[in-house]
């Protein structure tokens, strides 16, 4: 056997070559020895056992956390806290090719703000889609506070499919929150501004600056937000903050709080006291209560006018129709959270040491009986706080956000100033437990914590500061997500996870079993737009098509070559590359990067990905696959040749560095025959088992068959060249035939391993 062949085959079979493990007197350390050496306590060990997830085992929950200024979403498992993915949303991300292929550039371009391409986002609140008040695992939404945008992520492939920009707002913070059947996605403003971003002097703040709340209609069938069916509540220029949608008892309603209802405008350089002084002078701000269900009916009845392509509900109309009310809430509140049964709304005020528990039945009664203490300067009725409060609980300093347990009446609130989480009974108004956090916690989340049926079990503290928790890496510290066990009476800290991304805001966690993502795309799929790509190319149909100065390359990628391998264009041509990944196997993504063109593609099995650029500089540009996809991955390469203008072609044929003889050819053919025997053996092994019960293996077999057909094609060419005595080409094609065989064997062995590991049995 050829030594190289032996090496590759043994590699495929997983047998180490030239590596021998020396026997020694070494034995595994005992648990006691490890504990001593690492200074671990019994408690540490318990926490480790509760989070450690051995290889191959999976997590019970999947968390989706905002990436903050990174502009995306982080996905990790709980309880292991292992990071699984960063989903690119508002910012380019090269690994996923996001922002580097034509398809994702189109998604990013949807989020242009007044014609400007924005390539970052300040993501805050991810929201999982819901059906009947529970997460359904289909979609994820997230907001970009800084640019008033929302994005839709499809959980079939964890890809961003849509970005929308709010045509009214200049910032958003009270989003995204979904109604119980994802009828609407809420998006509240933060900083009051003139609608549409026009110029209005600050002296007209009270009259012309506005806040607002948009209910974006979600078209579940299309998986898109539908601007034309969405509506916007005009709101006073209070700084609206967070929102939450009512559920069960409060279904059909939404709650949005606010700070700076003083409508103060700072101006430190103009000699005015700063915002923070003027914005916290009153004792209370306002919670906004909106009736989205009735608003949707008015829209349906044609009673709402359109502005900027959306339905727009002026304050006057909202008041007249009974869609909008205010309730005073303690000073500078932050979080507003509806309890799982929808009966209470818990508001936490940053500058108040209490959480205020509002009663929905009482609010409803006040609305029905017109129990108002007056109107705000914009004519909105104000419901007296004392009439609708259920209770106020002294919890500690800087309460921000609240999450719920599976146990009735149990809630957890983050205490930013105290750096603690407090557990309490909101029905009885009693504090039950506190735990220290490191440090300055913002949001917190429990498992399925925003649904009608929270799972409890774990809580993650999303902390603003890490300070001394990790090895120092310079003045910019990582963030700290802390995992806490909440299954018992006392909370127990289990794990600290450093996150080298943007500031963590909110996160949601769903049962892992509810997620059913794809393994591969349907053939020729445009994954960003979710439909077949017009540029998809079948194997053997690869071609280069020129129309004037535009050159379309219909290419394919498969282990281990890119077709075409040589692309010749002229200086100044617009080159559009389209690659279809022909693989069906799991995790066989090919990358594509080319020198100097800012193109880096991720071509997942089945997908078709395009990249268009102008070849404005003559030269030679190597391209290659950027994923180590096979033993001959490094050979997955090619050249883009950009010919200078007015270049006179000389006919020079390509010369190969080595001259081959008949003996070389015969030797190669002999190797190929032996390889075929190995392949036949593997195929016999697989087909004698119930491999059809394993979709994974069926697709591997399809891939293997493709490769084998390619091998047959190469063999024909080799034999034709040999018949003519052209030993150069005969040898090269014979080698290519062997390359296809090696790939077939590789795929076959993967299938065999899979069957062995999944307990396949023999069939008669
Ligand atoms: S935020 S730390 Cu939700 Cu944007 Cu509160
Ligand atoms: Cu394909 Cu490396």
């Amino acid at each position: 056997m050829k030594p190289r062949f032996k090496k590759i085959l043994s590699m495929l079979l997983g047998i180490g070559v030239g590596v021998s493990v020396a026997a020694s007197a070494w034995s595994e350390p005992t648990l006691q020895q490890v504990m001593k050496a690492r200074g671990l306590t019994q408690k540490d060990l318990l926490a480790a056992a509760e989070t450690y997830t051995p290889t191959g085992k999976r997590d019970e929950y999947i968390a989706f956390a905002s990436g903050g200024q990174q502009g995306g979403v982080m996905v990790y498992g709980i309880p292991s806290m292992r990071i699984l993915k960063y989903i690119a949303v508002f910012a380019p991300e090269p690994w996923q090719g996001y922002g580097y292929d034509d398809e994702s550039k189109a998604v990013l371009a949807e989020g242009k703000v007044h014609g400007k391409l924005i390539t970052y986002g300040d993501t805050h609140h991810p929201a999982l889609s819901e059906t009947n008040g529970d997460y359904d695992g289909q979609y994820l939404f997230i907001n970009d506070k800084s640019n008033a945008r929302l994005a839709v992520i499809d959980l079939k492939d964890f890809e961003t499919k849509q970005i929308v920009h709010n045509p009214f707002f200049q910032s958003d913070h009270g989003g995204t929150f979904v109604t119980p059947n994802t009828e609407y996605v809420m998006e509240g403003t933060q900083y009051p501004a003139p609608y549409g971003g026009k110029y209005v002097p600050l002296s007209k703040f009270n009259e012309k600056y506005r806040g607002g709340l948009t209910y974006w209609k979600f078209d579940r069938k299309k998986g898109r937000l539908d601007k034309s069916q969405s509506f916007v509540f005009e709101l006073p220029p209070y700084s609206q903050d967070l929102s939450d949608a009512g559920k069960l008892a409060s279904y059909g309603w939404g709650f949005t709080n606010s700070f700076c209802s003083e409508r103060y405008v700072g101006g430190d350089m103009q000699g005015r006291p700063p915002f923070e002084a003027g914005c916290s002078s009153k004792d209370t701000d306002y919670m906004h209560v909106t009736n989205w269900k009735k608003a949707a009916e008015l829209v349906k009845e044609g009673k709402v006018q359109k502005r900027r392509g959306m339905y727009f509900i002026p304050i006057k109309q909202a008041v007249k129709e009974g869609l909008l009310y205010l309730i005073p809430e303690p000073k500078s509140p932050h979080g507003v959270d509806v309890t799982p049964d929808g009966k209470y709304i818990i508001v936490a005020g940053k500058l108040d040491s209490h959480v205020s528990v509002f009663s929905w039945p009482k609010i409803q009664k006040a609305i029905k009986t017109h129990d108002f203490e007056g109107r705000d300067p914009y004519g909105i009725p104000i419901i007296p706080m004392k009439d609708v409060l259920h209770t106020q609980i002294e919890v500690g300093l800087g309460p921000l956000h609240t999450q719920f347990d599976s146990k009735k009446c149990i809630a957890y609130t983050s205490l930013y100033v105290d750096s603690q989480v407090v557990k309490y009974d909101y029905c009885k108004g009693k504090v039950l437990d506190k735990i220290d956090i490191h440090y300055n916690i913002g949001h917190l989340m429990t498992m399925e914590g925003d649904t009608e049926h929270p799972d409890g079990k774990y809580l993650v503290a999303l902390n603003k500061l890490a300070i001394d928790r990790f090895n120092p890496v310079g003045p910019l510290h990582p963030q700290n997500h802390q995992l806490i066990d909440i299954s018992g009476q006392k909370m127990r800290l289990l794990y600290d996870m450093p996150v080298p991304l943007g500031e963590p805001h909110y996160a949601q966690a769903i049962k892992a079993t509810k997620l059913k993502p794809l393994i591969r795309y349907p053939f020729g799929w445009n994954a960003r737009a979710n439909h077949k790509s017009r540029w998809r190319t079948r194997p053997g149909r690869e071609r280069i098509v020129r129309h004037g100065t535009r050159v379309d390359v219909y290419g394919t990628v498969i282990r281990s070559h890119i077709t075409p391998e040589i692309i010749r264009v002229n200086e100044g041509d617009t080159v559009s590359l389209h690659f279809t990944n022909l693989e069906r196997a799991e995790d066989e993504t090919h990358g594509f990067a080319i020198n100097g063109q800012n193109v880096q593609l991720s071509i997942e099995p089945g997908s078709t990905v395009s990249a268009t650029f102008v070849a404005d500089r003559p030269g030679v540009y190597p391209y290659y696959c950027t994923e180590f996809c096979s033993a001959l991955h490094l050979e997955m390469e090619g050249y883009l040749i950009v010919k200078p203008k007015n270049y006179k072609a000389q006919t020079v044929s390509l010369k190969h560095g080595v001259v081959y003889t008949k003996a070389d050819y015969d030797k190669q053919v002999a190797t190929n025959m032996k390889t075929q025997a190995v392949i036949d053996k593997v195929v016999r092994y697989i087909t004698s088992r119930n491999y059809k019960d394993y979709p994974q293996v069926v697709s591997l077999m399809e891939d293997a068959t493709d490769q084998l057909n390619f091998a047959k094609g190469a063999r024909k060419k080799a034999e034709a060249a040999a018949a003519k005595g052209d030993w150069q080409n005969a040898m090269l094609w014979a080698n290519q035939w062997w390359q296809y065989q090696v790939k077939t064997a590789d795929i076959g062995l993967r299938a065999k391993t899979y069957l062995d590991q999944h307990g396949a049995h023999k069939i008669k």
Side-chain angles (χ1 to χ4, degrees):
M1 222 187 276
K2 239 175 149 180
R4 181 157 155 254
F5 176 48
K6 203 171 147 196
K7 200 171 151 198
I8 288 179
L9 248 197
S10 49
M11 204 172 91
L12 295 175
L13 291 161
I15 306 160
V17 187
V19 185
S20 61
V21 183
S24 75
W26 182 85
S27 64
E28 284 190 12
T30 66
L31 199 54
Q32 269 66 30
Q33 284 170 333
V34 173
M35 280 174 76
K36 203 170 151 228
R38 300 199 64 216
L40 301 177
T41 64
Q42 193 83 32
K43 232 173 109 187
D44 296 334
L45 229 62
L46 189 64
E50 283 173 281
T51 55
Y52 177 68
T53 307
T55 184
K57 289 252 162 63
R58 297 188 181 178
D59 279 298
E60 188 181 355
Y61 293 96
I62 300 296
F64 295 89
S66 89
Q69 306 90 326
Q70 179 260 6
V73 171
M74 175 173 53
V75 185
Y76 58 83
I78 292 176
S80 77
M81 304 302 269
R82 294 180 300 184
I83 296 170
L84 302 170
K85 198 171 210 174
Y86 297 131
I87 306 174
V89 183
F90 296 108
E93 198 289 303
W95 169 53
Q96 296 157 66
Y98 191 79
Y100 299 90
D101 61 48
D102 294 351
E103 292 82 2
S104 59
K105 280 181 184 170
V107 175
L108 282 169
E110 289 176 348
K112 279 190 183 176
V113 175
H114 308 307
K116 231 180 229 176
L117 185 67
I118 310 284
T119 55
Y120 79 100
D122 182 21
T123 60
H124 278 239
H125 307 108
L128 288 157
S129 59
E130 293 181 12
T131 300
N132 296 326
D134 285 316
Y135 301 150
D136 54 34
Q138 292 183 5
Y139 293 94
L140 181 78
F141 308 92
I142 192 153
N143 68 316
D144 163 16
K145 164 169 162 169
S146 168
N147 302 296
R149 300 187 293 176
L150 302 189
V152 181
I153 296 156
D154 193 333
L155 294 179
K156 262 199 225 89
D157 56 356
F158 289 50
E159 288 270 353
T160 302
K161 305 289 170 172
Q162 185 188 24
I163 297 177
V164 293
H165 172 235
N166 194 302
F168 291 87
F169 301 169
Q170 312 310 306
S171 63
D172 68 23
H173 189 243
T176 52
F177 298 93
V178 301
T179 57
N181 287 300
T182 325
E183 297 96 334
Y184 292 93
V185 180
M186 299 171 80
E187 181 199 24
T189 44
Q190 180 110 83
Y191 305 112
Y195 281 154
K198 10 170 237 230
Y199 172 76
V200 177
L202 277 163
S203 56
K204 294 255 167 62
F205 190 87
N206 291 346
E207 304 81 44
K208 295 282 179 199
Y209 284 50
R210 286 293 176 267
L213 173 64
T214 301
Y215 282 93
W216 287 89
K217 180 80 199 153
F218 183 56
D219 183 334
R220 200 185 277 262
K221 252 207 186 129
K222 289 197 186 126
R224 298 287 189 277
L225 295 169
D226 183 351
K227 185 177 163 187
S228 72
Q229 295 304 313
S230 305
F231 52 86
V232 187
F233 276 96
E234 178 193 18
L235 295 180
Y238 311 142
S239 295
Q240 280 80 29
D241 202 21
L242 282 190
S243 308
D244 201 4
K247 46 176 92 99
L248 293 171
S250 48
Y251 176 82
W253 295 77
F255 307 92
T256 304
N257 51 20
S258 62
F259 60 91
C260 204
S261 58
E262 293 88 348
R263 291 176 292 161
Y264 182 74
V265 179
D268 42 9
M269 307 268 297
Q270 282 76 31
R272 287 167 61 79
F275 274 104
E276 58 177 325
C279 281
S280 56
S281 55
K282 273 194 350 176
D283 279 342
T284 54
D285 287 291
Y286 291 123
M287 170 156 66
H288 304 63
V289 181
T290 49
N291 187 337
W292 63 261
K293 203 160 161 269
K294 197 163 166 203
E297 280 159 21
L298 290 184
V299 163
K300 220 171 153 193
E301 289 159 16
K303 291 188 184 146
V304 181
Q305 303 280 305
K306 267 199 172 172
R307 263 174 73 177
R308 300 174 188 274
M310 300 173 108
Y311 291 102
F312 180 79
I313 308 174
I315 294 176
K316 241 190 171 162
Q317 186 181 15
V319 171
K320 197 179 125 235
E321 301 284 356
L323 309 176
L324 176 62
Y325 303 90
L326 298 174
I327 305 174
E329 49 183 2
K331 204 171 181 137
S332 300
H334 190 43
V336 54
D337 295 280
V338 179
T339 57
D341 57 10
K343 283 192 192 147
Y344 300 100
I345 299 120
I346 300 184
V347 172
K350 307 188 285 280
L351 299 180
D352 184 77
S353 56
H354 298 83
V355 291
S356 302
V357 183
F358 290 89
S359 152
W360 175 248
K362 287 182 183 175
I363 295 171
Q364 250 183 329
K365 193 172 151 220
I367 291 172
K368 269 202 196 112
T369 60
H370 289 245
D371 170 18
F372 304 133
E373 64 183 24
R375 289 175 186 262
D376 83 333
Y378 301 87
I380 308 170
I382 302 169
I383 298 170
M385 174 160 65
K386 63 172 185 359
D387 291 354
V388 293
L389 258 185
H390 166 68
T391 183
Q392 284 186 307
I393 310 162
E394 169 118 40
V395 288
L397 296 182
L400 294 183
H401 299 285
T402 300
Q403 281 275 285
F404 303 98
D405 204 329
S406 55
K407 294 166 207 119
K408 229 182 146 227
C409 297
I410 302 297
Y412 302 83
T413 294
S414 52
L415 304 173
Y416 175 82
V417 177
D418 277 345
S419 285
Q420 286 184 319
V421 169
V422 56
K423 172 181 178 179
Y424 56 95
D425 181 319
Y426 56 85
C427 300
K428 295 198 191 112
K430 222 175 100 197
V431 170
L432 302 171
D433 189 26
K434 282 189 184 183
I435 189 170
D436 289 337
I437 294 300
H438 315 89
Y439 300 90
N440 299 88
I441 176 173
H443 275 276
L444 73 184
M445 77 155 158
T446 56
M447 304 303 98
E448 306 224 338
D450 285 303
T451 67
E452 290 173 12
H453 307 96
D455 276 14
K457 286 194 184 179
Y458 300 105
L459 180 150
V460 178
L462 303 145
N463 306 336
K464 304 297 188 191
L465 305 183
I467 309 183
D468 58 359
R469 288 298 100 171
F470 308 113
N471 296 60
V473 289
L476 182 63
H477 288 46
Q479 322 288 344
N480 190 8
H481 288 211
Q482 286 186 303
L483 180 71
I484 294 163
D485 177 302
I486 55 166
S487 58
Q489 270 187 345
K490 290 245 151 221
M491 293 179 271
R492 287 186 309 126
L493 180 62
L494 297 181
Y495 193 77
D496 278 33
M497 174 174 69
V499 175
L501 272 186
E503 175 176 331
H505 290 279
Y506 196 35
Q508 286 189 333
I510 183 173
K511 273 191 202 77
T513 49
K514 285 189 184 174
L515 296 167
K516 307 235 168 357
L518 295 173
I519 287 173
R520 74 191 68 80
Y521 289 108
F523 176 79
W525 205 246
N526 173 346
R528 318 286 189 192
N530 248 3
H531 56 65
K532 268 196 180 149
S533 169
R534 57 179 285 221
W535 307 109
R536 67 191 185 277
T537 309
R538 294 252 167 225
R541 305 288 303 277
E542 296 90 349
R543 62 209 183 272
I544 299 176
V545 180
R546 173 179 285 279
H547 288 292
T549 57
R550 183 183 162 105
V551 179
D552 281 297
V553 178
Y554 294 78
T556 59
V557 286
I558 190 165
R559 278 163 284 176
S560 309
H561 55 264
I562 299 169
T563 307
E565 294 186 333
I566 313 275
I567 302 167
R568 288 195 167 86
V569 302
N570 302 321
E571 179 183 352
D573 281 346
T574 297
V575 181
S576 200
L577 308 173
H578 316 285
F579 288 109
T580 300
N581 183 339
L582 302 176
E583 310 273 357
R584 295 176 192 81
E586 183 163 12
D587 203 10
E588 270 306 336
T589 294
H590 296 284
F592 178 92
I594 182 164
N595 169 269
Q597 308 296 346
N598 205 29
V599 170
Q600 152 49 33
L601 309 177
S602 173
I603 316 160
E604 293 89 21
S607 71
T608 298
V609 177
S610 303
T612 305
F613 56 91
V614 176
D616 48 8
R617 183 187 161 276
V620 172
Y621 301 89
Y623 54 77
Y624 62 97
C625 169
T626 49
E627 292 265 344
F628 210 109
C629 52
S630 53
L632 288 168
H633 146 82
L634 294 177
E635 289 77 354
M636 212 167 157
E637 56 169 335
Y639 286 106
L640 169 72
I641 312 287
V642 183
K643 249 190 340 192
K645 265 188 193 133
N646 312 317
Y647 180 79
K648 274 254 172 54
Q650 302 159 324
T651 41
V652 178
S653 61
L654 289 175
K655 274 215 187 91
H656 194 64
V658 186
V659 178
Y660 295 113
T661 61
K662 180 173 185 302
D664 292 320
Y665 172 72
D666 290 342
K667 209 164 131 200
Q668 181 65 55
V669 170
T671 303
N672 294 5
M673 293 310 167
K674 278 186 203 142
T675 309
Q676 193 57 47
V678 175
I679 291 170
D680 292 344
K681 212 172 132 194
V682 174
V683 169
R684 266 199 307 279
Y685 183 92
I686 294 167
T687 51
S688 69
R689 275 157 184 80
N690 59 328
Y691 80 96
K692 286 194 176 148
D693 295 342
Y694 302 90
Q696 266 305 44
V697 177
V698 172
S699 30
L700 284 169
M701 288 296 276
E702 285 168 353
D703 277 358
T705 311
D706 274 359
Q707 293 284 354
L708 214 52
N709 284 333
F710 294 145
K712 278 184 198 151
R715 178 179 185 166
K716 268 194 196 143
K717 285 181 185 152
E719 287 168 352
K724 283 192 273 174
D726 174 1
W727 302 116
Q728 196 67 14
N729 276 311
M731 168 61 196
L732 287 171
W733 280 116
N735 193 277
Q736 182 56 42
W737 158 18
W738 185 67
Q739 298 300 343
Y740 288 126
Q741 288 181 314
V742 170
K743 256 129 8 203
T744 311
D746 173 19
I747 299 167
L749 287 167
R750 277 196 222 190
K752 178 181 174 290
T753 311
Y754 190 96
L755 289 180
D756 291 345
Q757 285 175 354
H758 290 80
H761 58 78
K762 267 197 146 175
I763 47 169
K764 311 241 159 67

